[in-house]
PDB file of all heavy atoms in Angstrom:
ATOM      1  N   MET A   1      11.943 -16.007 -27.212  1.00 38.00           N
ATOM      2  CA  MET A   1      12.574 -14.982 -26.445  1.00 38.00           C
ATOM      3  C   MET A   1      11.889 -13.734 -26.696  1.00 38.00           C
ATOM      4  O   MET A   1      11.580 -13.343 -27.816  1.00 38.00           O
ATOM      5  CB  MET A   1      14.067 -14.865 -26.851  1.00 38.00           C
ATOM      6  CG  MET A   1      14.774 -13.779 -26.128  1.00 38.00           C
ATOM      7  SD  MET A   1      16.577 -13.673 -26.548  1.00 38.00           S
ATOM      8  CE  MET A   1      17.011 -12.222 -25.681  1.00 38.00           C
ATOM      9  N   PHE A   2      11.655 -12.925 -25.588  1.00 39.00           N
ATOM     10  CA  PHE A   2      10.926 -11.600 -25.726  1.00 39.00           C
ATOM     11  C   PHE A   2      11.855 -10.576 -26.405  1.00 39.00           C
ATOM     12  O   PHE A   2      13.041 -10.523 -26.105  1.00 39.00           O
ATOM     13  CB  PHE A   2      10.568 -11.074 -24.345  1.00 39.00           C
ATOM     14  CG  PHE A   2       9.961  -9.717 -24.355  1.00 39.00           C
ATOM     15  CD1 PHE A   2       8.581  -9.571 -24.665  1.00 39.00           C
ATOM     16  CD2 PHE A   2      10.769  -8.600 -24.156  1.00 39.00           C
ATOM     17  CE1 PHE A   2       8.061  -8.285 -24.719  1.00 39.00           C
ATOM     18  CE2 PHE A   2      10.174  -7.348 -24.190  1.00 39.00           C
ATOM     19  CZ  PHE A   2       8.852  -7.218 -24.454  1.00 39.00           C
ATOM     20  N   THR A   3      11.317  -9.782 -27.340  1.00 41.00           N
ATOM     21  CA  THR A   3      12.080  -8.771 -27.986  1.00 41.00           C
ATOM     22  C   THR A   3      11.325  -7.471 -27.868  1.00 41.00           C
ATOM     23  O   THR A   3      10.139  -7.365 -28.268  1.00 41.00           O
ATOM     24  CB  THR A   3      12.245  -9.100 -29.462  1.00 41.00           C
ATOM     25  OG1 THR A   3      12.910 -10.267 -29.556  1.00 41.00           O
ATOM     26  CG2 THR A   3      13.175  -7.996 -30.080  1.00 41.00           C
ATOM     27  N   GLY A   4      11.978  -6.414 -27.353  1.00 41.00           N
ATOM     28  CA  GLY A   4      11.372  -5.124 -27.178  1.00 41.00           C
ATOM     29  C   GLY A   4      12.316  -4.055 -27.601  1.00 41.00           C
ATOM     30  O   GLY A   4      13.460  -4.321 -27.876  1.00 41.00           O
ATOM     31  N   CYS A   5      11.867  -2.837 -27.717  1.00 42.00           N
ATOM     32  CA  CYS A   5      12.766  -1.732 -28.079  1.00 42.00           C
ATOM     33  C   CYS A   5      13.427  -1.069 -26.877  1.00 42.00           C
ATOM     34  O   CYS A   5      12.956  -1.181 -25.812  1.00 42.00           O
ATOM     35  CB  CYS A   5      12.009  -0.732 -28.948  1.00 42.00           C
ATOM     36  SG  CYS A   5      10.859   0.352 -27.934  1.00 42.00           S
ATOM     37  N   ARG A   6      14.563  -0.428 -27.090  1.00 40.00           N
ATOM     38  CA  ARG A   6      15.277   0.192 -25.996  1.00 40.00           C
ATOM     39  C   ARG A   6      14.444   1.295 -25.383  1.00 40.00           C
ATOM     40  O   ARG A   6      14.615   1.635 -24.161  1.00 40.00           O
ATOM     41  CB  ARG A   6      16.613   0.797 -26.590  1.00 40.00           C
ATOM     42  CG  ARG A   6      17.451  -0.303 -27.091  1.00 40.00           C
ATOM     43  CD  ARG A   6      18.809   0.320 -27.700  1.00 40.00           C
ATOM     44  NE  ARG A   6      19.603  -0.681 -28.269  1.00 40.00           N
ATOM     45  CZ  ARG A   6      20.434  -1.510 -27.775  1.00 40.00           C
ATOM     46  NH1 ARG A   6      20.547  -1.490 -26.410  1.00 40.00           N
ATOM     47  NH2 ARG A   6      21.144  -2.342 -28.371  1.00 40.00           N
ATOM     48  N   GLU A   7      13.616   2.015 -26.145  1.00 39.00           N
ATOM     49  CA  GLU A   7      12.844   3.087 -25.603  1.00 39.00           C
ATOM     50  C   GLU A   7      11.876   2.672 -24.551  1.00 39.00           C
ATOM     51  O   GLU A   7      11.685   3.374 -23.583  1.00 39.00           O
ATOM     52  CB  GLU A   7      12.079   3.786 -26.756  1.00 39.00           C
ATOM     53  CG  GLU A   7      11.265   5.028 -26.300  1.00 39.00           C
ATOM     54  CD  GLU A   7      10.518   5.709 -27.464  1.00 39.00           C
ATOM     55  OE1 GLU A   7      10.613   5.176 -28.588  1.00 39.00           O
ATOM     56  OE2 GLU A   7       9.933   6.750 -27.153  1.00 39.00           O
ATOM     57  N   CYS A   8      11.238   1.509 -24.809  1.00 43.00           N
ATOM     58  CA  CYS A   8      10.267   1.030 -23.773  1.00 43.00           C
ATOM     59  C   CYS A   8      10.910   0.242 -22.699  1.00 43.00           C
ATOM     60  O   CYS A   8      10.552   0.354 -21.492  1.00 43.00           O
ATOM     61  CB  CYS A   8       9.153   0.190 -24.453  1.00 43.00           C
ATOM     62  SG  CYS A   8       8.019   1.121 -25.438  1.00 43.00           S
ATOM     63  N   HIS A   9      11.882  -0.609 -22.984  1.00 42.00           N
ATOM     64  CA  HIS A   9      12.369  -1.529 -21.972  1.00 42.00           C
ATOM     65  C   HIS A   9      13.863  -1.310 -21.604  1.00 42.00           C
ATOM     66  O   HIS A   9      14.375  -2.083 -20.816  1.00 42.00           O
ATOM     67  CB  HIS A   9      12.253  -2.927 -22.552  1.00 42.00           C
ATOM     68  CG  HIS A   9      10.871  -3.278 -23.042  1.00 42.00           C
ATOM     69  ND1 HIS A   9       9.751  -3.300 -22.120  1.00 42.00           N
ATOM     70  CD2 HIS A   9      10.359  -3.551 -24.235  1.00 42.00           C
ATOM     71  CE1 HIS A   9       8.716  -3.584 -22.795  1.00 42.00           C
ATOM     72  NE2 HIS A   9       9.028  -3.757 -24.060  1.00 42.00           N
ATOM     73  N   GLY A  10      14.458  -0.292 -22.149  1.00 42.00           N
ATOM     74  CA  GLY A  10      15.868  -0.030 -21.783  1.00 42.00           C
ATOM     75  C   GLY A  10      16.862  -0.791 -22.533  1.00 42.00           C
ATOM     76  O   GLY A  10      17.982  -0.327 -22.762  1.00 42.00           O
ATOM     77  N   GLU A  11      16.500  -1.968 -22.897  1.00 40.00           N
ATOM     78  CA  GLU A  11      17.471  -2.815 -23.685  1.00 40.00           C
ATOM     79  C   GLU A  11      16.607  -3.945 -24.407  1.00 40.00           C
ATOM     80  O   GLU A  11      15.482  -4.222 -24.082  1.00 40.00           O
ATOM     81  CB  GLU A  11      18.500  -3.483 -22.761  1.00 40.00           C
ATOM     82  CG  GLU A  11      17.868  -4.304 -21.731  1.00 40.00           C
ATOM     83  CD  GLU A  11      18.945  -4.979 -20.829  1.00 40.00           C
ATOM     84  OE1 GLU A  11      20.110  -4.588 -20.953  1.00 40.00           O
ATOM     85  OE2 GLU A  11      18.581  -5.860 -20.040  1.00 40.00           O
ATOM     86  N   VAL A  12      17.255  -4.539 -25.473  1.00 40.00           N
ATOM     87  CA  VAL A  12      16.633  -5.592 -26.136  1.00 40.00           C
ATOM     88  C   VAL A  12      16.669  -6.780 -25.256  1.00 40.00           C
ATOM     89  O   VAL A  12      17.771  -7.134 -24.717  1.00 40.00           O
ATOM     90  CB  VAL A  12      17.293  -5.844 -27.479  1.00 40.00           C
ATOM     91  CG1 VAL A  12      16.701  -7.023 -28.140  1.00 40.00           C
ATOM     92  CG2 VAL A  12      17.147  -4.631 -28.347  1.00 40.00           C
ATOM     93  N   GLY A  13      15.593  -7.455 -25.080  1.00 43.00           N
ATOM     94  CA  GLY A  13      15.539  -8.686 -24.255  1.00 43.00           C
ATOM     95  C   GLY A  13      14.363  -8.635 -23.277  1.00 43.00           C
ATOM     96  O   GLY A  13      13.503  -7.721 -23.428  1.00 43.00           O
ATOM     97  N   ARG A  14      14.469  -9.409 -22.234  1.00 45.00           N
ATOM     98  CA  ARG A  14      13.268  -9.446 -21.275  1.00 45.00           C
ATOM     99  C   ARG A  14      13.360  -8.268 -20.369  1.00 45.00           C
ATOM    100  O   ARG A  14      14.455  -7.977 -19.786  1.00 45.00           O
ATOM    101  CB  ARG A  14      13.341 -10.761 -20.490  1.00 45.00           C
ATOM    102  CG  ARG A  14      12.197 -10.984 -19.637  1.00 45.00           C
ATOM    103  CD  ARG A  14      12.326 -12.302 -18.871  1.00 45.00           C
ATOM    104  NE  ARG A  14      12.353 -13.356 -19.776  1.00 45.00           N
ATOM    105  CZ  ARG A  14      11.288 -13.950 -20.355  1.00 45.00           C
ATOM    106  NH1 ARG A  14      10.095 -13.528 -19.991  1.00 45.00           N
ATOM    107  NH2 ARG A  14      11.419 -14.915 -21.229  1.00 45.00           N
ATOM    108  N   PRO A  15      12.276  -7.559 -20.139  1.00 43.00           N
ATOM    109  CA  PRO A  15      12.314  -6.417 -19.226  1.00 43.00           C
ATOM    110  C   PRO A  15      12.487  -6.854 -17.772  1.00 43.00           C
ATOM    111  O   PRO A  15      12.229  -8.025 -17.431  1.00 43.00           O
ATOM    112  CB  PRO A  15      10.910  -5.777 -19.385  1.00 43.00           C
ATOM    113  CG  PRO A  15      10.080  -6.858 -19.904  1.00 43.00           C
ATOM    114  CD  PRO A  15      10.973  -7.729 -20.768  1.00 43.00           C
ATOM    115  N   PRO A  16      12.847  -6.000 -16.791  1.00 43.00           N
ATOM    116  CA  PRO A  16      13.115  -6.375 -15.476  1.00 43.00           C
ATOM    117  C   PRO A  16      11.819  -6.922 -14.852  1.00 43.00           C
ATOM    118  O   PRO A  16      10.692  -6.542 -15.130  1.00 43.00           O
ATOM    119  CB  PRO A  16      13.479  -5.018 -14.809  1.00 43.00           C
ATOM    120  CG  PRO A  16      13.983  -4.202 -15.959  1.00 43.00           C
ATOM    121  CD  PRO A  16      13.194  -4.586 -17.106  1.00 43.00           C
ATOM    122  N   ALA A  17      11.987  -7.867 -13.926  1.00 44.00           N
ATOM    123  CA  ALA A  17      10.867  -8.538 -13.306  1.00 44.00           C
ATOM    124  C   ALA A  17      10.071  -7.459 -12.462  1.00 44.00           C
ATOM    125  O   ALA A  17      10.635  -6.585 -11.823  1.00 44.00           O
ATOM    126  CB  ALA A  17      11.388  -9.573 -12.304  1.00 44.00           C
ATOM    127  N   GLY A  18       8.754  -7.560 -12.551  1.00 41.00           N
ATOM    128  CA  GLY A  18       7.900  -6.652 -11.828  1.00 41.00           C
ATOM    129  C   GLY A  18       7.580  -5.344 -12.523  1.00 41.00           C
ATOM    130  O   GLY A  18       6.770  -4.559 -12.069  1.00 41.00           O
ATOM    131  N   ARG A  19       8.275  -5.034 -13.636  1.00 38.00           N
ATOM    132  CA  ARG A  19       8.037  -3.840 -14.334  1.00 38.00           C
ATOM    133  C   ARG A  19       6.944  -4.015 -15.395  1.00 38.00           C
ATOM    134  O   ARG A  19       6.922  -4.996 -16.141  1.00 38.00           O
ATOM    135  CB  ARG A  19       9.350  -3.395 -15.050  1.00 38.00           C
ATOM    136  CG  ARG A  19       9.205  -2.092 -15.847  1.00 38.00           C
ATOM    137  CD  ARG A  19      10.598  -1.690 -16.459  1.00 38.00           C
ATOM    138  NE  ARG A  19      10.397  -0.527 -17.323  1.00 38.00           N
ATOM    139  CZ  ARG A  19      11.443  -0.081 -18.005  1.00 38.00           C
ATOM    140  NH1 ARG A  19      12.696  -0.562 -17.910  1.00 38.00           N
ATOM    141  NH2 ARG A  19      11.279   1.007 -18.811  1.00 38.00           N
ATOM    142  N   HIS A  20       6.090  -3.000 -15.470  1.00 39.00           N
ATOM    143  CA  HIS A  20       5.043  -3.122 -16.492  1.00 39.00           C
ATOM    144  C   HIS A  20       5.623  -3.088 -17.869  1.00 39.00           C
ATOM    145  O   HIS A  20       6.493  -2.218 -18.184  1.00 39.00           O
ATOM    146  CB  HIS A  20       4.083  -1.872 -16.383  1.00 39.00           C
ATOM    147  CG  HIS A  20       3.146  -2.020 -15.136  1.00 39.00           C
ATOM    148  ND1 HIS A  20       2.165  -2.955 -15.090  1.00 39.00           N
ATOM    149  CD2 HIS A  20       3.114  -1.326 -14.032  1.00 39.00           C
ATOM    150  CE1 HIS A  20       1.500  -2.854 -13.969  1.00 39.00           C
ATOM    151  NE2 HIS A  20       2.038  -1.889 -13.295  1.00 39.00           N
ATOM    152  N   ARG A  21       5.218  -3.943 -18.754  1.00 39.00           N
ATOM    153  CA  ARG A  21       5.724  -4.045 -20.094  1.00 39.00           C
ATOM    154  C   ARG A  21       4.894  -3.170 -20.989  1.00 39.00           C
ATOM    155  O   ARG A  21       3.854  -3.588 -21.549  1.00 39.00           O
ATOM    156  CB  ARG A  21       5.701  -5.511 -20.573  1.00 39.00           C
ATOM    157  CG  ARG A  21       6.512  -6.384 -19.689  1.00 39.00           C
ATOM    158  CD  ARG A  21       6.469  -7.798 -20.212  1.00 39.00           C
ATOM    159  NE  ARG A  21       7.201  -8.710 -19.304  1.00 39.00           N
ATOM    160  CZ  ARG A  21       7.310 -10.043 -19.488  1.00 39.00           C
ATOM    161  NH1 ARG A  21       6.699 -10.588 -20.521  1.00 39.00           N
ATOM    162  NH2 ARG A  21       8.019 -10.787 -18.725  1.00 39.00           N
ATOM    163  N   GLU A  22       5.257  -1.900 -21.177  1.00 39.00           N
ATOM    164  CA  GLU A  22       4.584  -0.962 -21.969  1.00 39.00           C
ATOM    165  C   GLU A  22       4.928  -1.356 -23.424  1.00 39.00           C
ATOM    166  O   GLU A  22       6.052  -1.203 -23.809  1.00 39.00           O
ATOM    167  CB  GLU A  22       4.905   0.409 -21.732  1.00 39.00           C
ATOM    168  CG  GLU A  22       4.517   0.830 -20.273  1.00 39.00           C
ATOM    169  CD  GLU A  22       4.993   2.227 -19.958  1.00 39.00           C
ATOM    170  OE1 GLU A  22       5.929   2.684 -20.601  1.00 39.00           O
ATOM    171  OE2 GLU A  22       4.483   2.795 -18.927  1.00 39.00           O
ATOM    172  N   PHE A  23       3.929  -1.776 -24.172  1.00 39.00           N
ATOM    173  CA  PHE A  23       4.250  -2.276 -25.521  1.00 39.00           C
ATOM    174  C   PHE A  23       4.652  -1.162 -26.504  1.00 39.00           C
ATOM    175  O   PHE A  23       4.161  -0.106 -26.462  1.00 39.00           O
ATOM    176  CB  PHE A  23       2.940  -2.931 -25.991  1.00 39.00           C
ATOM    177  CG  PHE A  23       3.083  -3.610 -27.363  1.00 39.00           C
ATOM    178  CD1 PHE A  23       4.160  -4.410 -27.635  1.00 39.00           C
ATOM    179  CD2 PHE A  23       2.296  -3.287 -28.371  1.00 39.00           C
ATOM    180  CE1 PHE A  23       4.355  -5.028 -28.834  1.00 39.00           C
ATOM    181  CE2 PHE A  23       2.487  -3.923 -29.669  1.00 39.00           C
ATOM    182  CZ  PHE A  23       3.510  -4.766 -29.892  1.00 39.00           C
ATOM    183  N   CYS A  24       5.674  -1.565 -27.326  1.00 40.00           N
ATOM    184  CA  CYS A  24       6.272  -0.586 -28.108  1.00 40.00           C
ATOM    185  C   CYS A  24       6.026  -0.752 -29.642  1.00 40.00           C
ATOM    186  O   CYS A  24       6.581  -0.110 -30.479  1.00 40.00           O
ATOM    187  CB  CYS A  24       7.831  -0.605 -27.924  1.00 40.00           C
ATOM    188  SG  CYS A  24       8.486  -2.192 -28.233  1.00 40.00           S
ATOM    189  N   GLY A  25       5.228  -1.761 -29.963  1.00 39.00           N
ATOM    190  CA  GLY A  25       4.869  -1.935 -31.346  1.00 39.00           C
ATOM    191  C   GLY A  25       5.548  -3.184 -31.920  1.00 39.00           C
ATOM    192  O   GLY A  25       5.418  -3.530 -33.081  1.00 39.00           O
ATOM    193  N   VAL A  26       6.351  -3.877 -31.089  1.00 38.00           N
ATOM    194  CA  VAL A  26       7.048  -5.117 -31.525  1.00 38.00           C
ATOM    195  C   VAL A  26       6.254  -6.322 -31.165  1.00 38.00           C
ATOM    196  O   VAL A  26       5.865  -6.426 -30.006  1.00 38.00           O
ATOM    197  CB  VAL A  26       8.448  -5.162 -30.971  1.00 38.00           C
ATOM    198  CG1 VAL A  26       9.168  -6.386 -31.439  1.00 38.00           C
ATOM    199  CG2 VAL A  26       9.211  -3.948 -31.324  1.00 38.00           C
ATOM    200  N   SER A  27       6.025  -7.270 -32.078  1.00 38.00           N
ATOM    201  CA  SER A  27       5.198  -8.432 -31.687  1.00 38.00           C
ATOM    202  C   SER A  27       5.974  -9.309 -30.765  1.00 38.00           C
ATOM    203  O   SER A  27       7.219  -9.320 -30.774  1.00 38.00           O
ATOM    204  CB  SER A  27       4.815  -9.215 -32.937  1.00 38.00           C
ATOM    205  OG  SER A  27       5.988  -9.633 -33.573  1.00 38.00           O
ATOM    206  N   CYS A  28       5.337 -10.005 -29.879  1.00 39.00           N
ATOM    207  CA  CYS A  28       6.022 -10.873 -28.939  1.00 39.00           C
ATOM    208  C   CYS A  28       5.152 -12.099 -28.680  1.00 39.00           C
ATOM    209  O   CYS A  28       4.030 -12.168 -29.107  1.00 39.00           O
ATOM    210  CB  CYS A  28       6.334 -10.165 -27.627  1.00 39.00           C
ATOM    211  SG  CYS A  28       4.889  -9.781 -26.664  1.00 39.00           S
ATOM    212  N   ARG A  29       5.673 -12.976 -27.801  1.00 39.00           N
ATOM    213  CA  ARG A  29       5.002 -14.253 -27.580  1.00 39.00           C
ATOM    214  C   ARG A  29       3.704 -14.105 -26.791  1.00 39.00           C
ATOM    215  O   ARG A  29       2.901 -14.971 -26.720  1.00 39.00           O
ATOM    216  CB  ARG A  29       5.923 -15.217 -26.872  1.00 39.00           C
ATOM    217  CG  ARG A  29       6.346 -14.813 -25.485  1.00 39.00           C
ATOM    218  CD  ARG A  29       7.239 -15.837 -24.815  1.00 39.00           C
ATOM    219  NE  ARG A  29       7.518 -15.429 -23.476  1.00 39.00           N
ATOM    220  CZ  ARG A  29       8.291 -16.209 -22.653  1.00 39.00           C
ATOM    221  NH1 ARG A  29       8.793 -17.306 -23.113  1.00 39.00           N
ATOM    222  NH2 ARG A  29       8.518 -15.778 -21.357  1.00 39.00           N
ATOM    223  N   ASN A  30       3.591 -12.933 -26.090  1.00 38.00           N
ATOM    224  CA  ASN A  30       2.347 -12.658 -25.288  1.00 38.00           C
ATOM    225  C   ASN A  30       1.207 -12.100 -26.092  1.00 38.00           C
ATOM    226  O   ASN A  30       0.199 -11.770 -25.613  1.00 38.00           O
ATOM    227  CB  ASN A  30       2.709 -11.632 -24.157  1.00 38.00           C
ATOM    228  CG  ASN A  30       3.533 -12.302 -23.117  1.00 38.00           C
ATOM    229  OD1 ASN A  30       3.392 -13.472 -22.757  1.00 38.00           O
ATOM    230  ND2 ASN A  30       4.576 -11.605 -22.665  1.00 38.00           N
ATOM    231  N   ARG A  31       1.457 -11.950 -27.411  1.00 38.00           N
ATOM    232  CA  ARG A  31       0.381 -11.559 -28.343  1.00 38.00           C
ATOM    233  C   ARG A  31      -0.240 -10.182 -27.959  1.00 38.00           C
ATOM    234  O   ARG A  31      -1.425  -9.967 -27.960  1.00 38.00           O
ATOM    235  CB  ARG A  31      -0.707 -12.587 -28.418  1.00 38.00           C
ATOM    236  CG  ARG A  31      -0.277 -13.969 -28.998  1.00 38.00           C
ATOM    237  CD  ARG A  31      -1.557 -14.830 -29.145  1.00 38.00           C
ATOM    238  NE  ARG A  31      -2.289 -14.969 -27.880  1.00 38.00           N
ATOM    239  CZ  ARG A  31      -3.425 -15.585 -27.813  1.00 38.00           C
ATOM    240  NH1 ARG A  31      -4.027 -16.015 -28.919  1.00 38.00           N
ATOM    241  NH2 ARG A  31      -4.109 -15.692 -26.685  1.00 38.00           N
ATOM    242  N   TRP A  32       0.660  -9.267 -27.563  1.00 37.00           N
ATOM    243  CA  TRP A  32       0.164  -7.966 -27.282  1.00 37.00           C
ATOM    244  C   TRP A  32      -0.314  -7.260 -28.520  1.00 37.00           C
ATOM    245  O   TRP A  32       0.165  -7.496 -29.676  1.00 37.00           O
ATOM    246  CB  TRP A  32       1.267  -7.051 -26.684  1.00 37.00           C
ATOM    247  CG  TRP A  32       1.690  -7.558 -25.348  1.00 37.00           C
ATOM    248  CD1 TRP A  32       1.012  -8.440 -24.485  1.00 37.00           C
ATOM    249  CD2 TRP A  32       2.867  -7.205 -24.629  1.00 37.00           C
ATOM    250  NE1 TRP A  32       1.747  -8.651 -23.372  1.00 37.00           N
ATOM    251  CE2 TRP A  32       2.883  -7.940 -23.392  1.00 37.00           C
ATOM    252  CE3 TRP A  32       3.953  -6.381 -24.888  1.00 37.00           C
ATOM    253  CZ2 TRP A  32       3.899  -7.788 -22.465  1.00 37.00           C
ATOM    254  CZ3 TRP A  32       4.997  -6.362 -23.971  1.00 37.00           C
ATOM    255  CH2 TRP A  32       4.978  -7.001 -22.737  1.00 37.00           C
TER     256      TRP A  32
END
């Protein structure tokens, strides 16, 4: 499951479809 910060993605979880995923420093399955 994708995990991001509220600052970048608005909430913890998967960002909205079609929105650029601006990386916030949290590791994820996409190996950003």
Side-chain angles (χ1 to χ4, degrees):
M1 177 178 178
F2 175 84
T3 303
C5 73
R6 298 180 187 276
E7 183 179 1
C8 286
H9 306 296
E11 61 180 8
V12 176
R14 187 179 299 276
R19 178 178 175 182
H20 285 292
R21 301 178 182 180
E22 296 175 343
F23 184 51
C24 57
V26 181
S27 61
C28 72
R29 67 180 183 179
N30 289 321
R31 297 187 303 171
W32 293 344

